[in-house]
């Protein structure tokens, strides 16, 4: 007989801190769909995104003792996912920015988007420099100073890349509509 | 924030992607792997710590030696004229080595002249008309610090304190003997080269 134990969030954290495998699985099952979506925002290939997510969960389990109840637990996990995704991109030299946003061009100009469920493709087709700035600022809510530190770029570059990303997206959405 | 931005944000905040079926199995495999400890990092820390200890030890040692060079008073012995004369006479008469306790004289008596004894027994009689002598007992080089300038301060310290200081006559005699031997060697050497020159001139003339 397979008993399914369900922990509350604080219990879950305590149990994971004690290396309870059942709690670890519950945490994984609970957060992995959202976190895979987060990783996928940065990494185009879904398999790579899943690998990155697993590595990030490993860090969650290893460093859960460092979690202080000063913010949402999901937010803490999400931060680890984002940092792991950016590390992966850095290792693949995907974070080489073009400082002047006007020099980067839209990689694919397509009119076959189905709005409402294909925002991911719109984001994927943005030039890589402005894509990450857009995701970090608009979707994750990071400030330009934070983005500049995370991506190792200047605040000015972050702002110009964001403006360029918004301009390109607006053009694409208007074309689709 | 424009409408399309809000739409995109809402879309991604609501979206979930189900991981592959074996995702948890792969996760468990990762969890079961023995965690590699960063041994190399620890080794580096140990090496750095050890080198810091060694450097600190050397620094302390050198500093101690520097203090001894700068502050030789702690190794010097102060003797009065009369005591040195008595001592030398005693040594010359008895031809024996005796350890003598020397007490510095009063300030009025020691305000005349002062000097440093560099060379002892046979030649010491030439210098005994000086009042206070500082005998270098340790092997500090004379040119390592301005000895002559320090004499006045040494006198003051002798005048102000009545510390009992010991002179090791063995060392005095040994250094004097060494100097005498060195002088003999130098004079012998000079005589040797004189003889060589004479022989050369004789040989040249004979040719």
């Amino acid at each position: 007989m397979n008993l399914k134990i369900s922990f509350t969030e604080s219990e879950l954290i305590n149990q994971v801190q004690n290396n309870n495998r059942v709690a670890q699985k519950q945490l994984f099952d609970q957060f992995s769909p959202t976190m895979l979506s987060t990783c996928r925002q940065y990494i185009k290939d879904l398999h790579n995104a899943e690998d990155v997510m697993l590595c990030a969960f490993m860090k969650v389990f290893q460093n859960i003792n460092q979690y202080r109840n000063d913010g949402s637990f999901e937010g803490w996990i999400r931060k680890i996912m984002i940092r792991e995704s950016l590390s992966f991109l850095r290792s693949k030299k995907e974070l080489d920015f073009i400082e002047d946003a006007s020099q980067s061009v839209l990689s694919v100009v397509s009119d076959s988007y189905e709005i409402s469920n294909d925002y991911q493709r719109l984001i994927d087709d943005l030039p890589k420099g402005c894509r990450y700035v857009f995701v970090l600022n608009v979707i994750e809510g990071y400030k330009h100073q934070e983005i500049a530190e995370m991506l190792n770029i200047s605040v000015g570059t972050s702002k110009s890349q964001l403006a360029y990303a918004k301009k390109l997206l607006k053009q694409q959405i208007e074309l689709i509509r | 924030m424009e409408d399309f931005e809000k739409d995109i944000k809402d879309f991604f905040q609501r979206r979930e992607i189900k991981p592959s079926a074996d995702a948890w199995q792969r996760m468990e495999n990762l969890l079961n792997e023995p965690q590699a400890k960063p041994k190399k990092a620890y080794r580096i820390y140990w090496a750095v710590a050890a080198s810091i200890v060694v450097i600190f030890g050397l620094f302390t040692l050198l500093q101690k030696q520097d203090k001894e060079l700068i502050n030789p008073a702690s190794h010097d012995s102060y003797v009065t004229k009369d005591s040195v004369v008595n001592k030398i006479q005693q040594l010359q008469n008895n031809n024996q080595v005796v350890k003598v306790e020397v007490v510095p004289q009063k300030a009025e008596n020691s305000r005349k002249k002062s000097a440093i004894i560099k060379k002892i027994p046979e030649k010491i009689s030439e210098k005994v008309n000086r009042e206070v002598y500082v005998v270098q007992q340790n092997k500090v080089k004379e040119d390592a610090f301005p000895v002559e300038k320090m004499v006045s301060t040494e006198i003051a310290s002798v005048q102000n304190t009545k510390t009992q200081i010991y002179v090791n006559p063995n060392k005095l005699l040994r250094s004097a003997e060494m100097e005498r031997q060195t002088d003999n060697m130098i004079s012998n050497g000079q005589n040797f080269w004189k003889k060589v020159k004479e022989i050369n001139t004789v040989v040249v003339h004979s040719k």
Side-chain angles (χ1 to χ4, degrees):
Chain A
M1 197 169 125
N2 195 6
L3 285 174
K4 194 169 185 178
I5 306 163
S6 183
F7 299 105
T8 61
E9 189 172 283
S10 58
E11 284 173 347
L12 186 68
I13 293 164
N14 282 334
Q15 291 300 318
V16 171
Q17 283 174 342
N18 294 328
N19 281 324
N20 183 329
R21 188 53 57 88
V22 176
Q24 286 173 336
K25 187 174 188 314
Q26 185 185 323
L27 189 144
F28 184 82
D29 290 342
Q30 188 176 330
F31 291 105
S32 60
T34 319
M35 296 310 154
L36 185 55
S37 170
T38 300
C39 294
R40 175 63 186 85
Q41 289 167 23
Y42 302 89
I43 301 162
K44 285 183 183 178
D45 185 83
L46 186 60
H47 297 290
N48 285 338
E50 191 174 277
D51 288 343
V52 168
M53 182 196 70
L54 294 179
C55 290
F57 263 112
M58 194 67 198
K59 288 187 178 172
V60 168
F61 294 138
Q62 286 172 339
N63 299 296
I64 198 159
N65 288 318
Q66 294 174 17
Y67 171 68
R68 304 283 175 263
N69 292 304
D70 52 359
S72 81
F73 184 53
E74 186 178 339
W76 183 73
I77 298 175
R78 190 187 294 275
K79 271 185 188 174
I80 295 173
M81 296 292 157
I82 292 168
R83 289 186 188 278
E84 194 66 22
S85 300
L86 293 178
S87 302
F88 173 80
L89 293 170
R90 198 169 284 117
S91 71
K92 298 285 179 190
K93 300 195 186 302
E94 286 286 317
L95 287 183
D96 300 332
F97 274 72
I98 299 165
E99 291 293 310
D100 184 4
S102 62
Q103 289 179 15
S104 55
V105 292
L106 198 62
S107 56
V108 177
V109 179
S110 170
D111 56 358
S112 62
Y113 293 115
E114 289 175 25
I115 209 79
S116 81
N117 65 356
D118 224 353
Y119 283 124
Q120 183 64 64
R121 276 191 65 189
L122 274 173
I123 301 289
D124 286 347
D125 289 341
L126 284 173
K128 60 182 178 182
C130 63
R131 181 164 74 233
Y132 309 126
V133 175
F134 180 83
V135 172
L136 287 167
N137 181 273
V138 174
I139 301 170
E140 303 294 346
Y142 284 100
K143 292 173 184 171
H144 284 293
Q145 183 64 45
E146 293 171 310
I147 295 168
E149 286 168 10
M150 289 165 86
L151 300 179
N152 203 19
I153 57 173
S154 66
V155 173
T157 302
S158 176
K159 286 178 180 174
S160 64
Q161 293 282 351
L162 178 67
Y164 188 59
K166 284 179 179 178
K167 184 183 164 189
L168 291 174
L169 282 171
K170 197 174 182 180
Q171 285 173 359
Q172 288 297 306
I173 290 167
E174 281 172 0
L175 273 173
I176 296 160
R177 282 173 179 164
Chain B
M1 187 180 276
E2 293 188 39
D3 287 342
F4 79 93
E5 292 175 47
K6 284 179 185 171
D7 292 343
I8 290 172
K9 188 178 179 179
D10 290 342
F11 169 77
F12 282 110
Q13 282 183 341
R14 279 187 280 107
R15 186 180 72 168
E16 290 186 348
I17 301 174
K18 198 178 177 184
S20 57
D22 65 338
W24 172 246
Q25 187 59 47
R26 288 162 63 204
M27 186 78 249
E28 267 198 313
N29 292 340
L30 282 174
L31 286 166
N32 291 332
E33 275 180 14
Q35 299 300 312
K37 290 179 183 175
K39 284 183 181 175
K40 283 184 180 177
Y42 282 120
R43 279 180 195 163
I44 290 167
Y45 292 143
W46 275 112
V48 169
S51 53
I52 286 169
V53 168
V54 168
I55 289 166
F56 182 74
L58 285 171
F59 179 75
T60 314
L61 192 72
L62 289 171
Q63 212 175 23
K64 197 178 174 185
Q65 285 180 349
D66 284 351
K67 274 183 184 173
E68 284 174 358
L69 279 172
I70 293 163
N71 221 0
S74 59
H75 298 277
D76 292 341
S77 298
Y78 302 99
V79 292
T80 59
K81 170 191 166 186
D82 294 341
S83 62
V84 170
V85 170
N86 290 336
K87 173 68 184 166
I88 291 163
Q89 281 174 352
Q90 191 182 0
L91 290 170
Q92 284 173 344
N93 292 336
N94 299 336
N95 196 22
Q96 285 176 352
V97 177
V98 184
K99 192 172 182 181
V100 179
E101 187 179 313
V102 185
V103 181
Q105 289 183 343
K106 286 182 181 177
E108 290 102 7
N109 297 333
S110 60
R111 279 181 186 164
K112 296 175 184 176
K113 292 179 181 179
S114 62
I116 296 165
I117 293 180
K118 297 176 185 175
K119 301 166 184 178
I120 329 242
E122 290 107 314
K123 294 182 181 178
I124 198 126
S125 58
E126 298 168 9
K127 297 183 180 180
V128 289
N129 56 345
R130 300 183 179 185
E131 184 63 28
V132 178
Y133 299 90
V134 178
V135 181
Q136 306 289 326
Q137 284 191 340
N138 59 344
K139 293 180 180 177
V140 178
K141 289 182 180 178
E142 288 176 12
D143 56 353
F145 54 94
V147 180
E148 296 288 349
K149 290 178 183 176
M150 292 172 66
V151 169
S152 57
T153 55
E154 305 294 2
I155 292 165
S157 66
V158 170
Q159 288 168 351
N160 295 331
T161 58
K162 289 188 176 181
T163 314
Q164 291 186 340
I165 302 161
Y166 296 98
V167 175
N168 187 345
N170 285 334
K171 286 192 177 178
L172 291 176
L173 288 173
R174 202 180 302 129
S175 60
E177 183 60 27
M178 281 180 71
E179 189 184 347
R180 193 179 60 76
Q181 286 176 359
T182 312
D183 287 345
N184 287 340
M185 283 172 71
I186 291 165
S187 60
N188 288 341
Q190 284 171 348
N191 291 336
F192 172 77
W193 287 113
K194 271 183 186 176
K195 283 178 184 175
V196 169
K197 277 183 183 176
E198 285 171 10
I199 291 164
N200 280 340
T201 50
V202 169
V203 170
V204 168
H205 286 300
S206 65
K207 280 181 180 177

